Amino acid sequence: MAKRTVIVVQVARGILWVGGEAYPLHNIARATTIRIEPDRKAAVWRFIRYAVILAILTVAAFAVSDRIEWSGGEYGNEQDVMRGVTIVVLVLAAAFTIQLCLVLAMRTYYALVIETSGTPRAVLVSADWREVGGLVHQITDAISNPQAASFRTEITNFYNSHIGDKINQIGGVGNTGKRVGS
């Protein structure tokens, strides 16, 4: 389950505020909405793959069991071992089924992406497309007419926190301050 937080989004005096971060309206290059869906198709294929592998291993375990002469020694008798194999198979099948059901039950989210003329961007994630789409329209209206437009709204953000400014480093950590050829 995604963590929910309430983020205040507002435009005032030519500045877009996303939580505690300020973006001057004249620096905003794009505001858009994207759809974030769980990869249900991949989850189904993963479940099928696990089920096939589990079935093959189960058949192999029972086939090997028929060829072993069980004496009831240190490994127990055939019934105990096959009961253990059956329990392991059932537990794994239940785990794979639960994993599949969790992905299939995940809801679709919609993200407001604000890109600036530089590299920073902000993202807010909501379960309500209308809420995010409305913000895009309000922001673009505020960009078109910064003096007339001001708004304040609260959005329930389904992301751990909004993605604000990030620093992208090119190269490894150890190359900072080194001259090429040194």
Side-chain angles (χ1 to χ4, degrees):
M1 174 107 183
K3 180 181 176 185
R4 296 178 188 198
T5 57
V6 175
I7 301 289
V8 174
V9 179
Q10 67 181 357
V11 168
R13 295 177 300 187
I15 297 176
L16 169 66
W17 289 89
V18 181
E21 296 189 26
Y23 298 91
L25 288 175
H26 64 273
N27 283 350
I28 295 176
R30 182 171 84 136
T32 188
T33 305
I34 60 171
R35 186 179 177 129
I36 303 170
E37 289 187 21
D39 196 349
R40 293 179 178 102
K41 184 177 178 182
V44 169
W45 281 112
R46 184 174 48 245
F47 176 79
I48 291 170
R49 209 172 41 244
Y50 289 163
V52 168
I53 292 169
L54 196 56
I56 291 169
L57 292 176
T58 303
V59 168
F62 280 98
V64 169
S65 168
D66 289 341
R67 294 185 174 190
I68 296 176
E69 289 189 30
W70 297 92
S71 61
E74 68 181 276
Y75 299 113
N77 61 29
E78 180 179 10
Q79 289 177 343
D80 291 341
V81 171
M82 295 322 304
R83 190 175 302 126
V85 168
T86 303
I87 289 171
V88 168
V89 166
L90 291 175
V91 167
L92 287 174
F96 298 151
T97 302
I98 290 169
Q99 182 184 33
L100 174 66
C101 290
L102 288 174
V103 172
L104 293 178
M106 283 183 185
R107 66 192 309 179
T108 299
Y109 291 101
Y110 302 91
L112 165 69
V113 180
I114 302 164
E115 295 182 9
T116 65
S117 55
T119 55
R121 80 174 143 218
V123 178
L124 294 175
V125 179
S126 173
D128 186 1
W129 179 85
R130 292 173 300 212
E131 184 177 47
V132 175
L135 278 174
V136 170
H137 289 291
Q138 287 178 305
I139 292 168
T140 55
D141 288 344
I143 292 170
S144 300
N145 191 0
Q147 284 74 28
S150 78
F151 68 88
R152 183 183 197 288
T153 186
E154 293 182 358
I155 183 169
T156 301
N157 192 25
F158 283 86
Y159 198 72
N160 287 339
S161 63
H162 75 280
I163 301 170
D165 300 345
K166 295 202 179 250
I167 297 172
N168 295 326
Q169 177 176 340
I170 300 171
V173 174
N175 70 354
T176 305
K178 292 184 179 179
R179 282 188 270 166
V180 177
S182 297

